[in-house]
Amino acid sequence: MKHVLTTSLFLFSILCCQAQIEGGLLFGLTQATTAEMNAIANISQGQMLYNTDLKKVVVFDGSDWAPTSNTSWDLAGNSGDSATFLGTTNDIPLKLGSNGKDLLQSGRRQSMGLTQSYPDYDDANQYLTYIKGDNGVSALQFQADAANFYKPMFFTTATGNFRLKGSAAGTDFFEIGSAGTNNAGEMEFIIGDDGAEPFLFQRYDYRDGLKKELLRIQGSGNSQVAKPRIGINTGQMANSTLQISGSFSAGIIETNANITLDESHHTVIVNSNSAVSLPSANSCQGRIYILSRTKATMPLP
């Protein structure tokens, strides 16, 4: 019984002594500012100290001091500063993915394998963000809570075309983009979806802060059979297929020689007894030419 009591007192004494050890003695580590750290000579790989400027434990890796603390990004976010970034420190693209697919890359064009021998795609040192998708089809969509149907987005199609589609006035939409296949490319401008929504071309004047309408193209009404209306400087829907509120001018030339008319001609003044050849009528139905002659010339053939 005496031995048991002695052993218990001894263990209790050890525990009490351990509880009284100073934290600085147990976890002591040389401290230094960044300037003091960089001034240390004859450092061996693996030596450690606490940087009081960075408030981090750093270790010498043989060539530089590197933080030993966890510098990864937490799922709940990190407290950053001006030197904090999410990315790579070498020439390797930053990649983000979902559902096992690579969806977004950021980096240098050459390192991403996107350099091509075409204008605007041939700068190997251009930095860019590359949006990827499944089977070559990708999209970038924006939040627009007031858009009831057509949420704005940039997207590509399986035919290699690139388009922009988005909301207009909540329930209507606009769409701009390329179309066509097999070396028969097109550029489309679409407004919808009732019939009379206009395309407006305006200029901005900084002196009064107002927009001035130059041209509008729209349907004649909210109907499936709406006719096209083009108005120049009208400020409202044109009253005809084409309405111009202002002057009108067409090309005019003079000639002293034989001439064959084409789509570049409108008014031709003939100053000599010259032959004027017209294009085939079925190739330009509705085209108008004005032919005139001076008094000194013979009648036109």
Side-chain angles (χ1 to χ4, degrees):
M1 186 68 177
K2 188 175 186 180
H3 291 293
V4 173
L5 179 60
T6 302
T7 302
S8 299
L9 290 173
F10 178 73
L11 292 174
F12 178 76
S13 176
I14 293 175
L15 292 174
C16 290
C17 291
Q18 287 178 337
Q20 295 174 357
I21 295 176
E22 294 293 332
L25 296 177
L26 184 61
F27 302 107
L29 192 63
T30 302
Q31 298 183 1
T33 64
T34 299
E36 292 170 339
M37 179 183 72
N38 293 333
I40 301 175
N42 302 322
I43 313 170
S44 299
Q45 184 174 347
Q47 288 187 308
M48 302 173 64
L49 57 79
Y50 179 77
N51 186 302
T52 56
D53 293 332
L54 301 177
K55 294 182 172 53
K56 293 180 179 179
V57 177
V58 294
V59 60
F60 190 71
D61 61 10
S63 60
D64 200 0
W65 292 96
T68 61
S69 58
N70 183 10
T71 56
S72 62
W73 285 85
D74 294 331
L75 293 178
N78 289 52
S79 177
D81 54 39
S82 59
T84 303
F85 71 97
L86 176 64
T88 62
T89 57
N90 55 355
D91 193 15
I92 298 297
L94 168 67
K95 298 181 179 181
L96 296 177
S98 178
N99 197 30
K101 295 187 180 297
D102 184 9
L103 299 182
L104 185 143
Q105 295 182 7
S106 294
R108 195 168 64 93
R109 181 175 288 278
Q110 185 180 49
S111 66
M112 297 168 65
L114 298 176
T115 305
Q116 297 176 279
S117 57
Y118 309 116
D120 301 323
Y121 297 88
D122 54 357
D123 184 356
N125 293 317
Q126 182 183 46
Y127 284 87
L128 57 91
T129 296
Y130 184 41
I131 298 177
K132 303 184 68 177
D134 196 13
N135 297 321
V137 178
S138 59
L140 177 64
Q141 184 165 320
F142 300 85
Q143 180 177 355
D145 293 342
N148 293 335
F149 310 117
Y150 310 102
K151 306 297 183 179
M153 69 172 177
F154 292 97
F155 64 101
T156 59
T157 69
T159 54
N161 290 306
F162 173 65
R163 306 182 70 85
L164 164 63
K165 185 169 186 174
S167 55
T171 60
D172 296 330
F173 80 94
F174 74 96
E175 189 170 347
I176 303 171
S178 58
T181 57
N182 299 327
N183 204 30
E186 302 172 354
M187 182 65 180
E188 293 183 338
F189 296 84
I190 303 170
I191 185 71
D193 56 1
D194 299 313
E197 296 86 359
F199 289 100
L200 297 179
F201 297 82
Q202 301 175 324
R203 69 176 181 87
Y204 172 78
D205 196 319
Y206 74 93
R207 287 159 292 202
D208 56 15
L210 299 177
K211 298 175 183 177
K212 276 69 172 187
E213 183 177 314
L214 302 175
L215 167 70
R216 70 166 53 210
I217 304 173
Q218 66 187 115
S220 58
N222 289 327
S223 167
Q224 286 183 303
V225 295
K227 303 295 184 181
R229 298 280 181 91
I230 301 174
I232 300 176
N233 196 32
T234 59
Q236 59 186 3
M237 181 188 295
N239 59 23
S240 303
T241 301
L242 174 62
Q243 179 186 355
I244 300 175
S245 180
S247 59
F248 170 78
S249 177
I252 182 171
I253 66 168
E254 295 187 36
T255 182
N256 294 301
N258 296 341
I259 186 171
T260 299
L261 302 185
D262 58 27
E263 64 268 21
S264 64
H265 300 107
H266 182 267
T267 300
V268 179
I269 300 175
V270 182
N271 292 324
S272 64
N273 187 17
S274 304
V276 178
S277 299
L278 299 175
S280 175
N282 60 10
S283 68
C284 53
Q285 184 176 358
R287 184 182 297 170
I288 298 173
Y289 291 117
I290 298 176
L291 304 179
S292 179
R293 64 182 177 85
T294 61
K295 293 181 180 180
T297 60
M298 297 295 289
L300 292 170

